[in-house]
């Protein structure tokens, strides 16, 4: 195993640019993992389809007549042409644009022009249908897996799946969708978001005493606390382009002059409970499928960030959520997509979201917080190439998740069996901040 993580708090730099390492991921990681292929609102009606591209593979994800989903490898069985591109709606199936072989929506070959000119062995019925790909639905998304032997989707997403189900993420819909081309390895991009250690230096505007900073109980002032928390919510809303939804910021602002007890702990608990109550009630009143935020708190599910190994993230906050997906385009190039998801009254009609044109990472249109993250990343990718730099030195208390993530990838690269990999990826599908380095069992 080249460049394996041997000491768990040291990660060799070659993992982030070596072409052979990248090729090994292409061969042993991506073909074995569940991947978020599209949001279901991209294919709302029967026969809507969207192609999901991962490295050199293209997979058609199709909405079936009974509102399920089905997936196929996007290659005509005749001479390999991709039968569709991008997305759209097909009437009764697909017609290959080269010689006109036809496939039904269940992938069956239905027509071959001048069929009699082919030998019998090239017309075996099972052999001329589109190759099916495993496809399952969870969390408002269609997921694919190229490995027939992989465990079911749900198991591979635990424990995040249970927590995010309580958040009712399946009722969230796209409000906007952006994409960023990052000149860095996909794991470097992921790892810029999975620890809070960088917040103080990279995002100083987020160091607000109510959330990241330290609280001085002796001089606690409930008014100042509420003002600071409102400032945090506004900063997260504007700075992240809506990580806290503007509706929820308004709801919080309406509560600004409520009476709070003088005791710090009691005041904070009261504020949080009242804000959760108000957000829950208001969204339910307008007909949205909204979880009870205080129930989530009681269950201990009120965290704001969950990974779904390897490349999908959901960041729920109050009524809404952000979501990320990172796809490798090359050893040192990544496509990062960002969604803002929110709740609409049930039954309200929405436009199909269309994939965004990727912006460069220094595009002035990015909101301030991603701009700060994006400005570090290209410098980090370049710095890794320095002759004297050998490996990353991780904090065992604040950056354990980076190690757990990298070592889970090593499990795939080593070709470990599913029963060994499942516990490892379940230890990555968690709230990543301040995770310790875990024993993954291999
Ligand atoms: S390649 Fe598809 S019909 Fe020939
Ligand atoms: Fe950040």
């Amino acid at each position: 195993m080249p460049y394996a993580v041997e000491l768990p708090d040291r990660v060799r730099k070659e993992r982030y640019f070596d072409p052979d390492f990248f090729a090994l991921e292409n061969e042993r990681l991506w073909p074995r993992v569940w991947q978020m292929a599209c949001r279901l609102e991209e294919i709302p009606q029967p026969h809507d389809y969207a192609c999901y591209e991962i490295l050199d593979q293209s997979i058609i994800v199709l909405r079936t007549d009974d509102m399920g989903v089905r997936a196929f490898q996007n290659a005509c069985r005749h001479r390999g042409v991709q039968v569709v591109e991008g997305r759209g709606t097909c009437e009764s199936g697909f017609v290959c644009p080269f010689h006109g072989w036809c496939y039904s929506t269940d992938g069956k070959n239905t027509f071959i022009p001048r069929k009699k000119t082919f030998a019998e062995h090239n017309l075996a019925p099972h052999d001329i249908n589109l190759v099916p790909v495993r496809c399952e639905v969870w969390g408002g998304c269609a997921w694919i897996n190229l490995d027939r032997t992989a465990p079911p989707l749900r198991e591979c997403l635990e424990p995040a799946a249970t927590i995010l189900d309580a958040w009712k993420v399946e009722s969230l819909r796209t409000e906007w969708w952006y994409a960023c081309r990052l000149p860095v390895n996909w794991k470097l991009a992921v790892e810029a978001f999975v620890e809070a250690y960088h917040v103080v230096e990279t995002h100083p505007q987020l160091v607000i005493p109510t959330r990241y900073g330290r609280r001085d109980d002796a001089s606690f002032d409930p008014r100042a606390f509420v003002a600071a928390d409102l400032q945090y919510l506004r900063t997260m809303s504007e700075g992240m382009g809506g990580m806290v939804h503007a509706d929820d910021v308004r709801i919080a602002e309406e509560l600004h002059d409520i009476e709070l007890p003088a005791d710090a702990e009691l005041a904070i608990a009261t504020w949080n409970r009242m804000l959760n109550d108000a957000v829950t009630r208001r969204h339910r009143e307008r007909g949205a499928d909204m979880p009870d935020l205080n129930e989530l708190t009681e269950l201990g599910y009120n965290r704001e960030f969950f990974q779904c190994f390897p490349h999908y993230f959901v960041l729920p906050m109050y009524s809404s959520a952000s979501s990320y997906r990172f796809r490798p385009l090359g050893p040192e190039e990544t496509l990062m997509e960002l969604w803002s998801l929110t709740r609409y009254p049930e039954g309200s009609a929405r436009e199909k979201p269309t994939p965004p044109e990727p912006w460069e990472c220094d595009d002035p249109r990015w909101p301030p917080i991603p701009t700060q993250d994006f400005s570090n990343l290209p410098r980090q990718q370049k710095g890794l190439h320095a002759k004297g730099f050998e490996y990353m030195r991780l904090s065992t208390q604040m950056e354990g998740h980076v190690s757990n993530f990298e070592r889970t990838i090593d499990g795939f690269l080593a070709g470990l069996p599913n029963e060994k990999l499942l516990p490892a990826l379940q230890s990555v599908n968690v709230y990543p901040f301040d995770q310790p380095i875990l024993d993954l069992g291999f």
Side-chain angles (χ1 to χ4, degrees), residues 76 78-81 96 98-101:
C76 176
H78 176 221
R79 279 166 65 185
V81 168
C96 178
F98 198 0
H99 311 90
W101 284 33

Side-chain angles (χ1 to χ4, degrees), residues 192-195 198-199 202-203 206 240 369-370 372-374 376:
F193 295 89
V194 295
E195 41 84 1
H198 75 283
V199 170
T202 300
H203 310 298
L206 289 181
M240 282 304 287
I369 295 173
Q372 291 165 332
D373 293 308
F374 294 166
N376 289 332

Side-chain angles (χ1 to χ4, degrees), residues 77-78 101 103 109 121-131:
R77 298 296 289 167
H78 176 221
W101 284 33
Y103 303 93
N109 187 306
H121 65 260
N122 270 337
L123 293 175
H126 63 273
D127 194 50
I128 54 173
N129 300 331
L130 293 178
V131 176

Side-chain angles (χ1 to χ4, degrees), residues 26 46 55 68 72 93 101 115 142 148 177-178 211 221 233 245-246 289 296 383:
N26 188 357
L55 299 156
F72 310 102
W101 284 33
K115 194 170 184 176
R148 283 173 198 289
W177 180 9
Y178 295 135
R211 304 281 174 149
D221 168 8
L233 296 175
H245 198 280
D289 183 30
L296 289 175

